[in-house]
Coordinates of all heavy atoms in Angstrom, one line a residue:
P225 N 34.2 71.7 144.3 CA 33.1 70.8 144.6 C 32.6 70.1 143.3 O 32.6 70.8 142.2 CB 32.0 71.7 145.2 CG 32.4 73.1 144.9 CD 33.9 73.1 144.6
N226 N 32.1 68.9 143.4 CA 31.6 68.2 142.3 C 30.1 68.6 142.0 O 29.3 68.5 142.9 CB 31.7 66.7 142.6 CG 31.2 65.9 141.4 OD1 30.7 66.4 140.4 ND2 31.4 64.6 141.5
A227 N 29.9 69.1 140.8 CA 28.5 69.6 140.5 C 27.7 68.5 139.9 O 26.6 68.8 139.4 CB 28.6 70.8 139.6
G228 N 28.2 67.3 139.8 CA 27.4 66.2 139.2 C 27.7 66.0 137.8 O 28.7 66.7 137.3
P229 N 27.0 65.2 137.1 CA 27.3 65.0 135.7 C 27.1 66.2 134.8 O 26.2 67.0 135.1 CB 26.4 63.8 135.3 CG 25.3 63.8 136.3 CD 25.9 64.4 137.5
R230 N 28.0 66.3 133.8 CA 27.9 67.5 132.9 C 26.8 67.2 131.9 O 26.6 66.1 131.4 CB 29.2 67.7 132.2 CG 30.2 68.1 133.2 CD 31.5 68.4 132.4 NE 32.3 69.4 133.2 CZ 32.7 70.5 132.8 NH1 32.5 70.9 131.5 NH2 33.4 71.3 133.6
L231 N 26.1 68.3 131.5 CA 25.1 68.2 130.5 C 25.7 68.3 129.1 O 26.7 69.1 129.0 CB 24.0 69.3 130.7 CG 23.2 69.2 131.9 CD1 22.3 70.4 132.0 CD2 22.3 67.9 131.9
P232 N 25.2 67.6 128.1 CA 25.8 67.8 126.8 C 25.5 69.3 126.3 O 24.6 69.9 126.9 CB 25.0 66.8 125.9 CG 24.0 66.2 126.8 CD 24.2 66.7 128.2
R233 N 26.2 69.7 125.3 CA 25.9 71.0 124.8 C 24.5 71.1 124.4 O 23.9 70.2 123.9 CB 26.8 71.3 123.6 CG 28.2 71.5 124.0 CD 28.9 72.3 122.9 NE 29.8 73.1 123.7 CZ 30.9 73.6 123.2 NH1 31.2 73.5 121.9 NH2 31.7 74.3 123.9
G234 N 23.9 72.2 124.7 CA 22.4 72.4 124.5 C 21.6 72.3 125.8 O 20.5 72.6 125.8
G235 N 22.3 71.7 126.8 CA 21.7 71.6 128.1 C 20.6 70.6 128.4 O 20.0 70.6 129.4
S236 N 20.4 69.6 127.5 CA 19.4 68.6 127.8 C 20.0 67.3 128.0 O 21.0 66.9 127.5 CB 18.3 68.6 126.7 OG 19.0 68.1 125.5
R237 N 19.3 66.4 128.8 CA 19.7 65.1 129.0 C 18.8 64.2 128.2 O 17.6 64.4 128.0 CB 19.6 64.7 130.5 CG 20.5 65.4 131.4 CD 20.3 65.0 132.8 NE 21.1 65.9 133.6 CZ 21.6 65.6 134.7 NH1 21.5 64.4 135.2 NH2 22.3 66.5 135.4
T238 N 19.4 63.1 127.8 CA 18.6 62.1 127.0 C 18.5 60.8 127.7 O 18.2 59.8 127.1 CB 19.3 61.9 125.6 OG1 20.6 61.5 125.8 CG2 19.2 63.2 124.8
A239 N 18.7 60.8 129.0 CA 18.6 59.6 129.8 C 17.2 59.1 129.7 O 16.2 59.8 129.8 CB 19.1 59.8 131.2
S240 N 17.1 57.7 129.7 CA 15.7 57.2 129.7 C 15.2 57.1 131.1 O 16.0 57.0 132.1 CB 15.7 55.8 129.0 OG 16.5 54.9 129.8
V241 N 13.9 57.2 131.3 CA 13.3 57.1 132.6 C 12.6 55.8 132.7 O 11.9 55.4 131.8 CB 12.3 58.3 132.8 CG1 11.6 58.2 134.1 CG2 13.0 59.6 132.6
A242 N 12.9 55.1 133.8 CA 12.2 53.8 134.0 C 10.7 54.0 134.1 O 10.2 54.9 134.7 CB 12.8 53.2 135.3
P243 N 10.0 53.0 133.6 CA 8.5 53.1 133.7 C 8.1 53.0 135.1 O 8.7 52.3 135.9 CB 8.0 51.9 132.9 CG 9.1 51.0 132.8 CD 10.4 51.8 132.9
R244 N 7.0 53.7 135.5 CA 6.6 53.6 136.9 C 5.4 52.7 136.9 O 4.6 52.6 136.0 CB 6.3 55.0 137.5 CG 5.0 55.5 137.1 CD 4.8 56.9 137.7 NE 3.6 57.3 137.0 CZ 2.7 58.1 137.5 NH1 2.9 58.7 138.6 NH2 1.6 58.3 136.9
H245 N 5.3 52.0 138.0 CA 4.2 51.0 138.2 C 3.4 51.5 139.4 O 4.0 51.7 140.5 CB 4.7 49.6 138.4 CG 5.5 49.1 137.2 ND1 4.8 48.7 136.1 CD2 6.8 49.0 137.0 CE1 5.7 48.3 135.2 NE2 6.9 48.6 135.7
V246 N 2.1 51.7 139.2 CA 1.3 52.2 140.3 C 0.1 51.2 140.5 O -0.5 50.8 139.6 CB 0.7 53.6 140.0 CG1 -0.2 54.1 141.1 CG2 1.9 54.6 139.8
A247 N -0.1 50.8 141.8 CA -1.2 50.0 142.2 C -2.1 50.8 143.2 O -1.6 51.6 143.9 CB -0.8 48.7 142.7
A248 N -3.4 50.5 143.2 CA -4.3 51.1 144.1 C -5.1 49.9 144.8 O -5.5 49.0 144.2 CB -5.2 52.0 143.5
V249 N -5.2 50.1 146.1 CA -6.1 49.2 146.9 C -7.2 50.0 147.5 O -7.0 50.9 148.2 CB -5.2 48.5 148.0 CG1 -6.1 47.6 148.8 CG2 -4.1 47.7 147.4
V250 N -8.4 49.5 147.2 CA -9.6 50.2 147.7 C -10.3 49.2 148.6 O -10.5 48.1 148.2 CB -10.5 50.6 146.5 CG1 -11.8 51.3 147.0 CG2 -9.8 51.6 145.6
I251 N -10.7 49.7 149.8 CA -11.4 48.8 150.8 C -12.8 49.3 151.0 O -13.0 50.5 151.1 CB -10.6 48.8 152.1 CG1 -9.2 48.3 151.9 CG2 -11.3 47.9 153.1 CD1 -8.3 48.6 153.1
G252 N -13.8 48.4 151.0 CA -15.1 48.9 151.2 C -16.1 47.8 151.5 O -15.8 46.6 151.5
R253 N -17.3 48.3 151.8 CA -18.5 47.4 152.1 C -19.7 48.1 151.7 O -20.0 49.2 152.2 CB -18.5 47.0 153.5 CG -19.7 46.1 153.9 CD -19.6 45.7 155.3 NE -20.8 45.0 155.7 CZ -21.1 44.6 156.9 NH1 -20.2 44.8 157.9 NH2 -22.2 44.0 157.2
N254 N -20.5 47.6 150.8 CA -21.8 48.2 150.3 C -21.6 49.6 149.9 O -22.4 50.5 150.3 CB -22.8 48.0 151.4 CG -23.3 46.6 151.6 OD1 -23.2 45.8 150.7 ND2 -23.7 46.3 152.8
E255 N -20.6 49.9 149.1 CA -20.3 51.3 148.7 C -21.1 51.7 147.5 O -21.2 52.9 147.2 CB -18.8 51.5 148.5 CG -18.0 51.3 149.8 CD -18.4 52.4 150.8 OE1 -18.8 53.5 150.5 OE2 -18.2 52.0 152.0
G256 N -21.6 50.8 146.7 CA -22.4 51.1 145.5 C -21.8 52.1 144.6 O -20.7 51.9 144.1
S257 N -22.6 53.2 144.3 CA -22.1 54.2 143.4 C -20.8 54.9 143.8 O -20.1 55.4 142.9 CB -23.2 55.2 143.1 OG -23.6 55.9 144.3
R258 N -20.6 55.0 145.1 CA -19.3 55.6 145.5 C -18.1 54.8 145.1 O -17.1 55.3 144.7 CB -19.3 55.8 147.1 CG -20.2 56.9 147.6 CD -20.0 57.1 149.1 NE -20.4 55.9 149.8 CZ -21.6 55.6 150.3 NH1 -22.6 56.5 150.2 NH2 -21.8 54.5 151.0
L259 N -18.3 53.5 145.2 CA -17.2 52.6 144.8 C -17.0 52.7 143.3 O -15.8 52.8 142.8 CB -17.6 51.1 145.1 CG -16.6 50.1 144.6 CD1 -15.2 50.2 145.2 CD2 -17.1 48.7 144.8
V260 N -18.0 52.7 142.5 CA -17.9 52.8 141.1 C -17.2 54.1 140.7 O -16.3 54.1 139.9 CB -19.3 52.7 140.4 CG1 -19.2 53.0 138.9 CG2 -19.9 51.3 140.6
A261 N -17.6 55.2 141.3 CA -17.0 56.5 141.0 C -15.5 56.5 141.4 O -14.6 57.0 140.6 CB -17.7 57.6 141.7
C262 N -15.2 55.9 142.5 CA -13.8 55.8 143.0 C -13.0 55.0 142.0 O -11.9 55.4 141.6 CB -13.8 55.2 144.4 SG -12.1 54.9 145.0
L263 N -13.4 53.8 141.7 CA -12.7 52.9 140.8 C -12.5 53.6 139.4 O -11.4 53.5 138.8 CB -13.3 51.6 140.7 CG -13.4 50.8 142.0 CD1 -14.1 49.4 141.7 CD2 -12.0 50.5 142.6
R264 N -13.5 54.2 138.9 CA -13.4 54.9 137.6 C -12.4 56.0 137.6 O -11.7 56.3 136.6 CB -14.8 55.4 137.1 CG -15.6 54.3 136.6 CD -16.9 54.9 136.0 NE -17.7 53.8 135.5 CZ -19.0 53.8 135.4 NH1 -19.7 54.8 135.9 NH2 -19.7 52.8 134.9
S265 N -12.3 56.7 138.7 CA -11.3 57.8 138.8 C -9.9 57.3 139.0 O -9.0 58.0 138.5 CB -11.7 58.8 139.9 OG -11.5 58.2 141.2
V266 N -9.7 56.2 139.6 CA -8.4 55.7 139.9 C -7.9 54.8 138.7 O -6.7 54.8 138.4 CB -8.4 54.9 141.2 CG1 -7.1 54.1 141.4 CG2 -8.7 55.7 142.4
R267 N -8.7 54.1 138.1 CA -8.3 53.1 137.0 C -7.4 53.7 136.0 O -6.4 53.0 135.7 CB -9.6 52.6 136.4 CG -9.3 51.5 135.4 CD -9.0 50.2 136.1 NE -8.2 49.3 135.3 CZ -7.2 48.6 135.8 NH1 -6.8 48.7 137.0 NH2 -6.6 47.7 135.0
P268 N -7.6 54.8 135.4 CA -6.7 55.3 134.3 C -5.2 55.6 134.8 O -4.3 55.7 134.0 CB -7.3 56.6 133.8 CG -8.7 56.5 134.3 CD -8.7 55.7 135.5
Q269 N -5.1 55.7 136.1 CA -3.8 56.1 136.7 C -3.0 54.9 137.3 O -1.9 55.1 137.8 CB -4.0 57.1 137.8 CG -4.7 58.3 137.3 CD -5.1 59.2 138.4 OE1 -4.4 59.5 139.3 NE2 -6.4 59.6 138.4
T270 N -3.6 53.7 137.2 CA -3.0 52.5 137.8 C -2.7 51.4 136.8 O -3.3 51.3 135.8 CB -3.9 52.0 138.9 OG1 -5.1 51.6 138.3 CG2 -4.1 53.0 140.0
D271 N -1.7 50.6 137.2 CA -1.4 49.4 136.5 C -2.2 48.2 137.1 O -2.4 47.2 136.4 CB 0.1 49.0 136.6 CG 0.9 50.1 136.0 OD1 0.7 50.5 134.8 OD2 1.9 50.6 136.6
R272 N -2.5 48.3 138.4 CA -3.2 47.2 139.1 C -4.2 47.9 140.0 O -3.8 48.8 140.7 CB -2.2 46.4 139.8 CG -2.8 45.2 140.5 CD -1.8 44.3 141.2 NE -2.4 43.2 141.8 CZ -1.8 42.5 142.7 NH1 -0.6 42.7 143.1 NH2 -2.5 41.5 143.3
L273 N -5.4 47.3 140.0 CA -6.4 47.9 140.9 C -7.0 46.7 141.7 O -7.5 45.7 141.1 CB -7.5 48.5 140.0 CG -8.7 49.2 140.7 CD1 -8.2 50.3 141.8 CD2 -9.6 49.9 139.7
V274 N -7.0 46.8 143.0 CA -7.5 45.8 143.9 C -8.6 46.3 144.8 O -8.5 47.4 145.4 CB -6.4 45.2 144.8 CG1 -6.9 44.1 145.7 CG2 -5.2 44.7 143.9
Y275 N -9.7 45.6 144.8 CA -10.8 46.0 145.7 C -10.9 44.9 146.8 O -11.1 43.7 146.5 CB -12.1 46.1 145.0 CG -13.3 46.3 145.9 CD1 -13.4 47.4 146.7 CD2 -14.4 45.4 145.9 CE1 -14.5 47.6 147.6 CE2 -15.5 45.6 146.7 CZ -15.5 46.7 147.6 OH -16.6 46.8 148.4
V276 N -10.8 45.3 148.0 CA -10.9 44.4 149.2 C -12.3 44.6 149.8 O -12.6 45.7 150.3 CB -9.8 44.7 150.2 CG1 -10.0 43.7 151.4 CG2 -8.4 44.5 149.6
D277 N -13.1 43.6 149.6 CA -14.5 43.7 150.1 C -14.7 43.1 151.4 O -14.2 42.0 151.7 CB -15.4 43.0 149.0 CG -16.9 43.2 149.4 OD1 -17.4 44.4 149.2 OD2 -17.5 42.3 149.9
S278 N -15.4 43.8 152.3 CA -15.7 43.2 153.6 C -17.1 42.9 153.9 O -17.8 43.3 154.8 CB -15.2 44.3 154.7 OG -15.9 45.5 154.5
G279 N -17.7 42.0 153.0 CA -19.0 41.5 153.2 C -20.1 42.2 152.5 O -21.2 42.2 153.0
S280 N -19.9 42.8 151.4 CA -21.0 43.6 150.7 C -22.1 42.7 150.3 O -21.9 41.5 149.9 CB -20.4 44.3 149.4 OG -19.5 45.3 149.8
T281 N -23.3 43.2 150.3 CA -24.5 42.5 149.8 C -25.2 43.3 148.7 O -26.3 42.9 148.3 CB -25.5 42.3 151.0 OG1 -25.8 43.6 151.5 CG2 -24.9 41.4 152.1
D282 N -24.5 44.4 148.2 CA -25.1 45.2 147.2 C -24.6 45.1 145.8 O -24.8 45.9 144.9 CB -25.0 46.7 147.7 CG -23.6 47.2 147.6 OD1 -22.6 46.4 147.5 OD2 -23.4 48.4 147.7
G283 N -23.8 44.1 145.6 CA -23.2 43.9 144.3 C -21.9 44.6 144.1 O -21.4 44.6 142.9
S284 N -21.3 45.2 145.1 CA -20.0 45.9 145.0 C -18.9 45.0 144.4 O -18.2 45.5 143.5 CB -19.6 46.5 146.3 OG -20.4 47.5 146.7
P285 N -18.7 43.8 144.8 CA -17.7 43.0 144.2 C -17.8 42.8 142.7 O -16.9 42.9 141.9 CB -17.7 41.6 145.0 CG -18.4 42.0 146.2 CD -19.4 43.1 145.9
E286 N -19.1 42.5 142.3 CA -19.3 42.4 140.8 C -19.0 43.7 140.1 O -18.5 43.6 139.0 CB -20.8 41.9 140.6 CG -21.0 40.5 141.2 CD -21.3 40.4 142.7 OE1 -21.4 41.5 143.3 OE2 -21.3 39.3 143.2
A287 N -19.5 44.8 140.7 CA -19.2 46.1 140.0 C -17.7 46.3 139.9 O -17.2 46.8 138.8 CB -19.9 47.2 140.8
A288 N -17.0 46.0 140.9 CA -15.5 46.2 140.9 C -14.9 45.3 139.8 O -14.0 45.8 139.1 CB -14.9 45.9 142.3
R289 N -15.3 44.1 139.8 CA -14.8 43.2 138.7 C -15.1 43.7 137.3 O -14.3 43.7 136.4 CB -15.4 41.8 138.8 CG -14.6 40.9 139.8 CD -15.1 39.4 139.8 NE -14.8 38.8 141.0 CZ -15.7 38.7 142.1 NH1 -16.9 39.2 142.0 NH2 -15.3 38.2 143.2
G290 N -16.3 44.2 137.2 CA -16.7 44.8 135.9 C -15.9 46.0 135.5 O -15.8 46.3 134.3
L291 N -15.2 46.6 136.4 CA -14.4 47.8 136.1 C -12.9 47.4 136.0 O -12.0 48.3 136.0 CB -14.6 48.9 137.1 CG -16.0 49.5 137.1 CD1 -16.2 50.4 138.3 CD2 -16.1 50.3 135.8
G292 N -12.7 46.1 136.1 CA -11.3 45.6 135.9 C -10.5 45.4 137.2 O -9.3 45.2 137.1
A293 N -11.1 45.5 138.3 CA -10.4 45.4 139.6 C -10.3 43.9 140.0 O -11.2 43.1 139.7 CB -11.1 46.1 140.7
E294 N -9.2 43.5 140.6 CA -9.1 42.2 141.2 C -9.8 42.3 142.5 O -9.6 43.3 143.3 CB -7.6 42.0 141.5 CG -7.3 40.7 142.2 CD -5.8 40.6 142.6 OE1 -5.0 41.3 141.9 OE2 -5.5 39.8 143.5
V295 N -10.7 41.4 142.9 CA -11.5 41.5 144.1 C -11.0 40.4 145.1 O -10.9 39.2 144.7 CB -13.0 41.3 143.8 CG1 -13.8 41.2 145.0 CG2 -13.5 42.4 142.8
I296 N -10.8 40.9 146.3 CA -10.4 40.0 147.4 C -11.5 40.1 148.4 O -11.8 41.2 148.9 CB -9.1 40.4 148.0 CG1 -8.0 40.2 146.9 CG2 -8.8 39.6 149.2 CD1 -6.6 40.7 147.4
A297 N -12.1 39.0 148.8 CA -13.2 39.0 149.8 C -12.6 38.6 151.1 O -11.9 37.6 151.3 CB -14.3 38.0 149.4
L298 N -12.8 39.5 152.1 CA -12.3 39.2 153.5 C -13.1 38.1 154.1 O -14.3 38.0 153.9 CB -12.4 40.5 154.3 CG -11.4 41.6 154.0 CD1 -11.7 42.8 155.0 CD2 -10.0 41.2 154.1
D299 N -12.4 37.3 154.9 CA -13.1 36.3 155.6 C -13.7 36.9 156.9 O -13.0 37.2 157.8 CB -12.1 35.2 156.0 CG -12.8 34.0 156.8 OD1 -14.0 34.1 157.2 OD2 -12.1 33.0 157.0
M300 N -15.0 37.2 156.9 CA -15.6 37.9 158.0 C -15.8 37.1 159.2 O -16.1 37.6 160.3 CB -16.9 38.5 157.5 CG -16.8 39.5 156.3 SD -15.7 40.8 156.6 CE -16.5 41.7 157.9
S301 N -15.5 35.8 159.2 CA -15.5 35.0 160.4 C -14.3 35.1 161.2 O -14.2 34.5 162.3 CB -15.8 33.5 160.0 OG -14.6 33.0 159.3
R302 N -13.3 35.7 160.7 CA -12.0 35.9 161.4 C -11.9 37.4 161.8 O -12.1 38.3 161.0 CB -10.8 35.5 160.5 CG -10.9 34.1 160.1 CD -9.7 33.7 159.3 NE -8.6 33.7 160.2 CZ -7.4 33.4 159.8 NH1 -7.1 33.0 158.6 NH2 -6.4 33.4 160.7
P303 N -11.5 37.6 163.1 CA -11.3 39.0 163.5 C -10.1 39.7 162.9 O -9.2 39.1 162.4 CB -11.1 38.8 165.0 CG -10.9 37.4 165.3 CD -11.3 36.6 164.1

């Protein structure tokens, strides 16, 4: 049976690992401090952060932008 590629003497591989790309999408409306806490916890682990806002009136979109998120506002006139 084929056991796969042989390891060099010493038993370690030196193959490079492709960089991983992680994005997060957060959806909310009037989340305030919960949104800020969420985005702060996710931000260090992502390459791209998107906040989809569904009609907030509490400044959530501005807070998300301030934390580096791309903000998408849903068109609330469409079902």
Side-chain angles (χ1 to χ4, degrees):
N226 184 353
R230 294 182 155 235
L231 294 175
R233 287 206 148 155
S236 66
R237 293 180 191 213
T238 57
S240 62
V241 177
R244 79 183 174 150
H245 299 282
V246 177
V249 178
V250 177
I251 302 169
R253 178 177 171 185
N254 293 330
E255 295 298 330
S257 62
R258 287 185 300 266
L259 173 65
V260 170
C262 173
L263 296 178
R264 283 185 176 151
S265 71
V266 172
R267 185 76 200 136
Q269 303 167 49
T270 61
D271 299 307
R272 183 177 181 197
L273 183 55
V274 179
Y275 172 59
V276 180
D277 185 75
S278 58
S280 291
T281 59
D282 69 345
S284 289
E286 294 78 12
R289 276 189 203 94
L291 292 170
E294 174 185 344
V295 175
I296 298 174
L298 290 181
D299 181 353
M300 300 306 293
S301 68
R302 299 184 68 180

